[in-house]
Amino acid sequence: MDFIRLTDPAAPEFETAFALYEVSFPVHEQRTRPAQAARLSHPEYRYMLLYEGDQFQGILLYWEGPGFRYVEHFAIAPELRGGGVGARALAELCGQGIPVILEIDPPVDEISVRRQHFYERCGFSKNPFPHVHPPYRKGFRGHPLVVMSAPGALTQETYDRFAGYLQNAVMSDCVFPALSPRSGHRIARRWCPVGPVTEAILALLCAVGAAALLWLLFGWLVRPASVHNLWIVIPGRGNGNLLEAALRQLAWLRRAGLFRGEAVIWDAGLTPEGRELALRLALRWSWVTCCPSGALEEWLGQ
């Protein structure tokens, strides 16, 4: 199998490759055509066409990151799927002595479970870190994904390095205002000023969990404020046994129309089991997202 790097969007091969790209991924996981064309010239981006002789077989789009390769998109021509082409391409990529990282949809149905098993057969391991991929296009939110890596699972330090690279390099051309969870209008994220009293309340929240969260929210609801897009940061520690109770209280407030904001689970020392729980909670409620350890300051600054 030959890997042929494409750098010129005017090349005729780009038409064939982009057509496969469009039919292989949902629109919220795709760059627009102009954005994809502009990305071809990035020095760390590898837009690889897979060929066997003269036969076009697929695309393998990856990044040469700091100490790893990140596979952003990977697709085999529909008529060749199931014939071992994808496994051979991954074997060649992973056989060059550089760790490889990729993302898959959470394994919640038959197709996503089969996809996870395919990558496991190719030598990839599932990682426990809560992970949300930033949006590619205006009007979309980030989507939770599962990080897989070969050979073996990632350390926390390597995952943090990957998450930073994804945000600051791979997705640097896709920085958009966030969506309002109720109105659908695009607005910037805005944060309430944090003073000593609020810091004390948040410290109490971490200690007593859901009851303190409920008290805090009602306190904010009766206070006049100009902030219309409120984000609640919930620190997760240990096995995360307080997270679900806190989010259920928020869900009750949302159903009652008393809270219209969103919640962020911040990894402040979660165990692997706690990270797995946080990811499941983010998948259960669309208004919940996850923030990796060490990335809170960067997340708040978006």
Side-chain angles (χ1 to χ4, degrees), residues 108-128:
V108 296
D109 55 29
E110 181 181 357
I111 294 177
S112 56
V113 169
R114 287 171 54 191
R115 186 176 294 119
Q116 177 182 324
H117 291 167
F118 164 75
Y119 285 110
E120 289 174 340
R121 291 194 300 272
C122 291
F124 285 80
S125 298
K126 177 182 175 182
N127 289 272

Side-chain angles (χ1 to χ4, degrees), residues 9 19 51 74 77 94 137 149-150 163 171 181 204 213 223 248 268 281:
Y51 275 87
F74 176 43
C94 295
R137 301 184 182 210
S149 55
M171 302 298 293
L204 179 62
L213 176 62
R223 184 183 68 182
R248 285 186 182 278
L281 294 174

Side-chain angles (χ1 to χ4, degrees), residues 216-235:
L216 175 62
L217 286 173
F218 274 112
W220 276 337
L221 286 170
V222 300
R223 184 183 68 182
S226 61
V227 178
H228 302 288
N229 192 29
L230 184 66
W231 292 72
I232 302 297
V233 178
I234 304 177

Side-chain angles (χ1 to χ4, degrees), residues 10-27:
E13 293 84 0
F14 182 66
E15 296 296 329
T16 302
F18 195 79
L20 176 59
Y21 178 83
E22 287 187 304
V23 300
S24 299
F25 302 98
V27 66

Side-chain angles (χ1 to χ4, degrees), residues 191-203 220 223 231 233 300:
W191 295 82
C192 299
V194 177
V197 174
T198 308
E199 290 180 354
I201 292 174
L202 290 177
W220 276 337
R223 184 183 68 182
W231 292 72
V233 178
L300 295 176

